[in-house]
Amino acid sequence: MKNIFIEENGIYSIDCSDAVWATDKMHEDYHNAGIHIKDVDFLIENSTHIFMVEYKHACIANAENPAAFQPMEDKKISIVTRKFYDSLHYLRLMDKNKPVQYIYILEYPNGDTTTRKRLRNRLKAELPFVLQDSIGNGKRLIEQIEVLSIDEWNADSIYGSYPIRRISE
């Protein structure tokens, strides 16, 4: 079960067996170092990119009040954005310098392609796209932001190389 990670609810796994490098240990490493900053759930490296993957599933059977989860709230946007910024430190310390794509895999009641695209646009406004275009001599902190469902992730020609499945499958 090398590089097959179980998400925090214990219901889904992400198979990173085909990754150049992958980890789900960032939170543990930050905690063990005594620092309390935010982090994404998974880091996956392929031959050309690093994928920062944040995963949230508010539709599972044991989710606490899934109808109350509002991913477009300013506070939720701030948390997801901060996870990107705080995770950059980890990549730097691991000497991972490939272009970064941030993918938020999101399942929540009444979520659809349109609302995920609106959320992507809100996140994009909070991430350093404009900043890196105005300073840095072409250096980029982020190449792309995506907000996808599990099905959209699995159907993608690149991301689908790291399938997300129910553990019972």
Side-chain angles (χ1 to χ4, degrees), residues 36-96:
H36 305 286
I37 59 179
K38 303 286 185 187
D39 55 85
V40 296
D41 294 308
F42 310 105
L43 294 169
I44 304 168
E45 179 181 5
N46 74 3
S47 62
T48 60
H49 287 84
I50 300 286
F51 306 120
M52 284 188 183
V53 180
E54 177 62 16
Y55 173 91
K56 176 70 174 172
H57 202 311
C59 294
I60 57 174
N62 60 348
E64 256 186 63
N65 197 5
F69 179 71
Q70 299 297 323
M72 294 292 282
E73 286 179 345
D74 289 345
K75 182 177 180 180
K76 297 287 186 200
I77 298 282
S78 179
I79 290 169
V80 172
T81 302
R82 182 171 173 203
K83 287 181 178 205
F84 168 80
Y85 287 108
D86 287 356
S87 297
L88 285 175
H89 307 297
Y90 195 86
L91 292 176
R92 172 81 174 165
L93 291 170
M94 297 296 292
D95 201 26
K96 300 294 182 182

Side-chain angles (χ1 to χ4, degrees), residues 1-159:
M1 296 227 337
K2 183 182 177 209
N3 282 348
I4 297 177
F5 306 127
I6 309 299
E7 52 84 25
E8 65 189 357
N9 299 304
I11 295 173
Y12 285 85
S13 67
I14 183 168
D15 184 346
C16 298
S17 299
D18 289 339
V20 170
W21 171 83
T23 188
D24 66 345
K25 301 294 185 220
M26 188 176 0
H27 181 78
E28 180 181 330
D29 289 343
Y30 279 175
H31 179 77
N32 289 342
I35 55 176
H36 305 286
I37 59 179
K38 303 286 185 187
D39 55 85
V40 296
D41 294 308
F42 310 105
L43 294 169
I44 304 168
E45 179 181 5
N46 74 3
S47 62
T48 60
H49 287 84
I50 300 286
F51 306 120
M52 284 188 183
V53 180
E54 177 62 16
Y55 173 91
K56 176 70 174 172
H57 202 311
C59 294
I60 57 174
N62 60 348
E64 256 186 63
N65 197 5
F69 179 71
Q70 299 297 323
M72 294 292 282
E73 286 179 345
D74 289 345
K75 182 177 180 180
K76 297 287 186 200
I77 298 282
S78 179
I79 290 169
V80 172
T81 302
R82 182 171 173 203
K83 287 181 178 205
F84 168 80
Y85 287 108
D86 287 356
S87 297
L88 285 175
H89 307 297
Y90 195 86
L91 292 176
R92 172 81 174 165
L93 291 170
M94 297 296 292
D95 201 26
K96 300 294 182 182
N97 297 311
K98 291 179 182 173
V100 173
Q101 294 182 3
Y102 188 21
I103 302 97
Y104 185 15
I105 301 169
L106 180 62
E107 297 284 346
Y108 66 103
N110 303 316
D112 60 17
T113 302
T114 302
T115 58
R116 284 189 294 277
K117 284 182 181 176
R118 282 198 342 246
L119 178 56
R120 179 203 59 206
N121 293 341
R122 288 269 321 268
L123 290 168
K124 188 172 185 177
E126 298 294 324
L127 292 166
F129 289 98
V130 173
L131 179 66
Q132 69 192 11
D133 288 341
S134 63
I135 64 170
N137 297 324
K139 185 171 179 119
R140 300 186 65 77
L141 297 173
I142 186 169
E143 293 287 319
Q144 182 174 321
I145 173 75
E146 296 282 352
V147 180
L148 304 172
S149 68
I150 291 172
D151 288 341
E152 290 166 334
W153 168 274
N154 286 337
D156 186 88
S157 62
I158 296 171
Y159 309 140

